[in-house]
Amino acid sequence: MGAEVLVGVCVERSEQMVVALLGILKAGGAYVPIDPAYPAERQDYMLSNSQAPVIVTEERLRSELPRTDARVVCIDSDWPAIASMAVTAPALEANPEQLAYVIYTSGSTGKPKGVQITHRALVNFLVTMGETPGLSAQDVLVAVTTLSFDIAGLELYLPLITGSRVVIATAETSGDPRALAALLESSGATIMQATPTTWRMLADAGWPGKPAMKALCGGEALPVALADRLVGLGLELWNMYGPTETTIWSTCALVDTQGKSLTIGRPIGNTTLYILDAYMQPVPVGVAGELWIGGDGVARGYRGRPDLTEERFVSDPFVASEGARIYKTGDLARYRADGAVEFLGRLDHQVKVRGFRIELGEIETVLARHPGISEAVVVARGAGSEAELAAYVIGRGDPVDALEVRQYLAKTLPAYMIPSTVTKLEAFPLTPNGKVDRKALPEPTRERSAERDLIAARTPLEQRLVAVWERELGIQPIGVSDNFFDLGVTSIVAAGLFAAIEHELGDELPLGAIFRAPTIEALARLIEHDDGATRWTSLVPIQPLGDRPPIFCIHGGAGTILHLEPLARLLGSDQPFYGLQSSGLYGGTVPHQTVEAMAVHYLAEMRQVHPGGPWYLAGYCFGTIVAFEIAQRLVAAGEKVKMVAMFNGPSPAWIKTWGWFGNQPSIRKNRPRAPRMTKTQLLMRALRDPRRFVTAAQWHGQRWYDARRTKYALARRRPVPERVREQFFFDLHQKAERAYEPTPYPGELLMFYGDKLYEDPELGWGGLAERGIITYAVPGEHKGNRDAMHEPGVVFVHERIREYLQRIAGSGAAGGPTDTGEGV
């Protein structure tokens, strides 16, 4: 055997395993751990990728190894031949840059990556660990980790270089909490290293702990609740952090308090941490960024993967030393003011659900604080508009109720971070390294709240509706009093549910009915008892409860109001909130053609639930113009108008001059330009789809025909494709806004606009509000014009509206601050 010859090691945990490892290292080779529990396909890949010419195994495992040309040495049956070898150390030159081991970790492509660790990296780690957390000749370390997990290097080698004793626990003992507790007692253990899963297993089994025993915990994030339990057992708890690529642990932190957030501490010896932004620049203290690690622990790279090595291991831009590199961990972290580093989760656990970037680790942290939950994992399932968050929890004591858990999260997290499902498990599926196997989590279960009485269907209609709800929502059973939104589903799936109801009952329902009838019993009453005029009203009570004067918000260009639900919810159960959808949106009546006609109709419906002032109005996009006209009519009638809020709603003059997006520099600059096509490309495109090439007259003629057909279908409540319906109302409202001529309003306007989206924060309304315009730039990505009604922008909007309502309530102002308090 020569320098850096790779040797596969596939043995059970025993003293002979340590002998084999030391023999390989003394001979100048590097070992490749191959867990006997690994599937044959994974073992085969590791052997073929490493090209190890020698394999050390046991006789009973030999037949289970993949077919290979490598020489096989059985540490048990070949022991007589091994014992006859010379006992003197081979005459080899020690080179710290030679490989000590190659260990395979999971890869994002599904193929394991072979991480190459040198002697320099391993020795630096061991010497540092001997100092902090520290190990002396009097210590006894119980080793419980499989060799295929790199942290086993601490358990096997650190005791040997410090003169302490190592006790090798068998695989069976490591997985049995009672047997492991007995071994800790009988061996006189003073230190053990394990994953949070193993420590929790011990604590749950009633292990009383050992005062002053060192507990090293790492491999995955340490939950605060578990840390509190271990500290409460009198253990000297250390939170360890480090990726395989930087040699086992790169930081450590002593945890000596309970109930406080945890850090991963500071770097070990000869190790440097950088927290960088997307441009590889250091971020300020307290700001989250990606964690990069440099120093002596950085691995050589990935075996046989130069492309991936170049991507993840880059030259250190902050030191002048030749050859210095830093490793891209893919972890999110930030520096605290005291210099400690706070781990915030995996960047690849950062998901995008319905347009919002979400750190799954943040949700898991809040879940773990729930008194009934000991451990939690959150994943994103589905894609696009169907994507949703799914939580998996392990309970502590009494069973946890899914609805109660979601309500608990809602006290801390915004609505877009609340999981749609909470699935209770006895234990999480684990990888061979003892980490949670997120890919093996079962399909989430939807369930109703166990705390709510189950009321069975009482009529044939309710029975049919229950069957549709259970089938479409995947929840069984569902009671007739169960609320649609409490079942963990959102308005996104309302269209599918209502389409299924229409197919089952042959009775069209507007999507807005989900607010008026969110339970089966209410929906049945709506279908059976409401007349057509009531069912197809423009006024939709999104949140009708509360003693405060209601807020009325007018629809946007598409005519719908479903996107107003987040704002209504955030304003609270004490604030009534009504949406006004376009008349005729779902048929039954002819849509209004002018802003003035809409204002008259909507105001008449508003008076049915709020006969007199004061009035609080709002409008979204096109609806701002209608809200403005309603306010003018109320003022002319001598009534009080206390608020007119506008959400991304340009004035008619602005639209006539610029169009909806013409004066938005960020959109103009960032709008992608279509590449110029050659004549041949244009001809081939026309041959594939000649309908794409029509004259302007043909195009306008088709739009006119579609509009007439849609108008006819809506008037007779016939089904209309959503795309066609939306385009019809956009065109109708565009004509109405261009024909409207606003006059100065004697009050104050409240304007919300997308930050950096418009050059004029007043969106062309300047000069039309005699008491001025209060403008707010709504933060967000603003890739669409609805960010003011979506998380996180809607949180900003609701906070400013709350502040405004409190201010005018305190001043007695109407339509803006006044001395008299009289309405405008």
Side-chain angles (χ1 to χ4, degrees), residues 25 95 115 118 233 251 339 342 464 473 477 534 546 571 577 637 640 672 675 778:
L25 293 174
N95 184 343
V115 182
T118 65
L233 293 176
T251 74
E342 188 175 357
R464 296 174 70 185
L473 303 183
T534 302
L571 287 171
F577 191 98
K640 294 181 180 180
V778 180

Side-chain angles (χ1 to χ4, degrees), residues 297-444:
V298 177
R300 181 185 293 180
Y302 298 114
R303 187 163 186 84
R305 294 293 306 274
D307 55 336
L308 192 58
T309 299
E310 184 178 354
E311 175 188 333
R312 302 300 293 269
F313 298 84
V314 304
S315 297
D316 190 334
F318 305 105
V319 300
S321 302
E322 184 178 355
R325 295 174 305 145
I326 56 176
Y327 170 70
K328 177 185 177 72
T329 68
D331 290 335
L332 195 68
R334 64 183 169 211
Y335 272 114
R336 297 203 321 189
D338 61 2
V341 174
E342 188 175 357
F343 174 79
L344 301 176
R346 289 286 301 166
L347 281 172
D348 53 15
H349 289 169
Q350 182 189 75
V351 299
K352 198 167 187 179
V353 176
R354 298 192 295 275
F356 309 120
R357 296 195 181 278
I358 298 170
E359 297 294 343
L360 298 179
E362 184 177 356
I363 307 174
E364 292 169 352
T365 298
V366 178
L367 276 169
R369 295 179 190 148
H370 188 285
I373 295 174
S374 64
E375 193 172 358
V377 171
V378 179
V379 298
R381 288 187 172 269
S385 62
E386 300 300 321
E388 63 178 359
L389 297 174
Y392 297 84
V393 301
I394 296 175
R396 187 204 315 275
D398 296 333
V400 292
D401 180 77
L403 175 58
E404 189 275 328
V405 170
R406 297 178 70 248
Q407 292 172 339
Y408 173 84
L409 292 175
K411 297 176 182 177
T412 306
L413 301 175
Y416 67 92
M417 294 181 70
I418 308 300
S420 298
T421 59
V422 179
T423 303
K424 296 176 281 291
L425 300 176
E426 292 296 324
F428 293 140
L430 303 176
T431 66
N433 290 346
K435 297 183 180 181
V436 176
D437 189 349
R438 293 172 180 264
K439 295 180 180 179
L441 289 166
E443 283 296 316

Side-chain angles (χ1 to χ4, degrees), residues 178 523 542 616:
R178 292 182 177 83
L523 187 59
I542 298 177
Y616 296 80

Side-chain angles (χ1 to χ4, degrees), residues 391-539:
Y392 297 84
V393 301
I394 296 175
R396 187 204 315 275
D398 296 333
V400 292
D401 180 77
L403 175 58
E404 189 275 328
V405 170
R406 297 178 70 248
Q407 292 172 339
Y408 173 84
L409 292 175
K411 297 176 182 177
T412 306
L413 301 175
Y416 67 92
M417 294 181 70
I418 308 300
S420 298
T421 59
V422 179
T423 303
K424 296 176 281 291
L425 300 176
E426 292 296 324
F428 293 140
L430 303 176
T431 66
N433 290 346
K435 297 183 180 181
V436 176
D437 189 349
R438 293 172 180 264
K439 295 180 180 179
L441 289 166
E443 283 296 316
T445 57
R446 301 185 188 275
E447 61 181 31
R448 59 184 304 277
S449 174
E451 296 181 354
R452 186 191 298 273
D453 292 337
L454 178 67
I455 302 177
R458 297 151 298 195
T459 68
L461 178 56
E462 287 182 348
Q463 292 172 355
R464 296 174 70 185
L465 288 172
V466 165
V468 175
W469 280 46
E470 290 181 346
R471 182 182 71 243
E472 295 299 316
L473 303 183
I475 302 174
Q476 287 185 328
I478 292 179
V480 296
S481 63
D482 291 339
N483 189 288
F484 177 84
F485 295 103
D486 286 345
L487 292 172
V489 287
T490 66
S491 56
I492 293 175
V493 302
L497 175 64
F498 275 39
I501 293 173
E502 291 173 14
H503 178 76
E504 179 74 19
L505 305 180
D507 193 356
E508 281 193 87
L509 289 169
L511 291 183
I514 199 64
F515 300 116
R516 298 167 52 208
T519 67
I520 289 174
E521 60 183 356
L523 187 59
R525 286 196 301 268
L526 182 68
I527 294 173
E528 287 182 324
H529 304 302
D530 282 12
D531 58 24
T534 302
R535 190 189 308 172
W536 298 94
T537 179
S538 291
L539 187 70

Side-chain angles (χ1 to χ4, degrees), residues 469-767:
W469 280 46
E470 290 181 346
R471 182 182 71 243
E472 295 299 316
L473 303 183
I475 302 174
Q476 287 185 328
I478 292 179
V480 296
S481 63
D482 291 339
N483 189 288
F484 177 84
F485 295 103
D486 286 345
L487 292 172
V489 287
T490 66
S491 56
I492 293 175
V493 302
L497 175 64
F498 275 39
I501 293 173
E502 291 173 14
H503 178 76
E504 179 74 19
L505 305 180
D507 193 356
E508 281 193 87
L509 289 169
L511 291 183
I514 199 64
F515 300 116
R516 298 167 52 208
T519 67
I520 289 174
E521 60 183 356
L523 187 59
R525 286 196 301 268
L526 182 68
I527 294 173
E528 287 182 324
H529 304 302
D530 282 12
D531 58 24
T534 302
R535 190 189 308 172
W536 298 94
T537 179
S538 291
L539 187 70
V540 177
I542 298 177
Q543 204 300 102
L545 304 178
D547 298 328
R548 299 172 181 269
I551 295 175
F552 298 92
C553 189
I554 317 301
H555 60 82
T560 61
I561 47 85
L562 282 175
H563 56 284
L564 301 179
E565 187 265 342
L567 177 59
R569 183 182 62 253
L570 286 170
L571 287 171
S573 58
D574 62 337
Q575 176 60 67
F577 191 98
Y578 290 82
L580 286 124
Q581 61 191 10
S582 184
S583 178
L585 181 65
Y586 300 104
T589 185
V590 177
H592 296 293
Q593 306 295 310
T594 66
V595 170
E596 292 82 357
M598 295 176 201
V600 171
H601 174 71
Y602 297 159
L603 184 53
E605 292 202 347
M606 290 158 57
R607 290 190 186 280
Q608 293 178 14
V609 296
H610 189 62
W615 294 91
Y616 296 80
L617 309 175
Y620 171 75
C621 280
F622 164 77
T624 60
I625 301 174
V626 183
F628 183 86
E629 174 63 19
I630 291 174
Q632 293 280 42
R633 290 174 179 269
L634 288 168
V635 169
E639 299 192 50
K640 294 181 180 180
V641 178
K642 288 206 167 187
M643 182 183 78
V644 181
M646 299 177 163
F647 308 121
N648 277 341
S651 71
W654 171 293
I655 297 167
K656 291 174 186 176
T657 304
W658 300 105
W660 275 97
F661 301 108
N663 199 29
Q664 298 181 30
S666 62
I667 288 183
R668 291 203 311 270
K669 186 168 76 172
N670 296 326
R671 181 186 293 130
R673 294 182 178 274
R676 186 179 298 275
M677 302 176 72
T678 65
K679 291 182 179 179
T680 301
Q681 288 173 320
L682 287 170
L683 177 60
M684 294 301 295
R685 185 177 179 183
L687 290 173
R688 286 195 303 268
D689 187 3
R691 294 173 298 174
R692 298 178 66 95
F693 293 85
V694 296
T695 65
Q698 289 173 322
W699 184 82
H700 285 293
Q702 183 64 45
R703 289 282 289 272
W704 177 86
Y705 176 75
D706 286 344
R708 292 290 296 240
R709 185 174 58 178
T710 302
K711 183 177 179 181
Y712 178 87
L714 287 173
R716 287 156 180 77
R717 294 185 188 166
R718 293 183 179 176
V720 177
E722 190 62 29
R723 179 188 59 80
V724 175
R725 183 204 312 273
E726 184 176 277
Q727 188 60 58
F728 171 82
F729 279 96
F730 269 126
D731 291 345
L732 183 152
H733 293 140
Q734 186 179 61
K735 292 179 182 177
E737 67 195 7
R738 289 181 177 275
Y740 181 68
E741 295 291 343
T743 57
Y745 171 63
E748 181 180 74
L749 300 179
L750 191 62
M751 175 63 68
F752 294 89
Y753 67 96
D755 186 22
K756 301 177 184 177
L757 195 62
Y758 297 95
E759 289 181 344
D760 177 12
E762 296 183 344
L763 275 61
W765 290 97

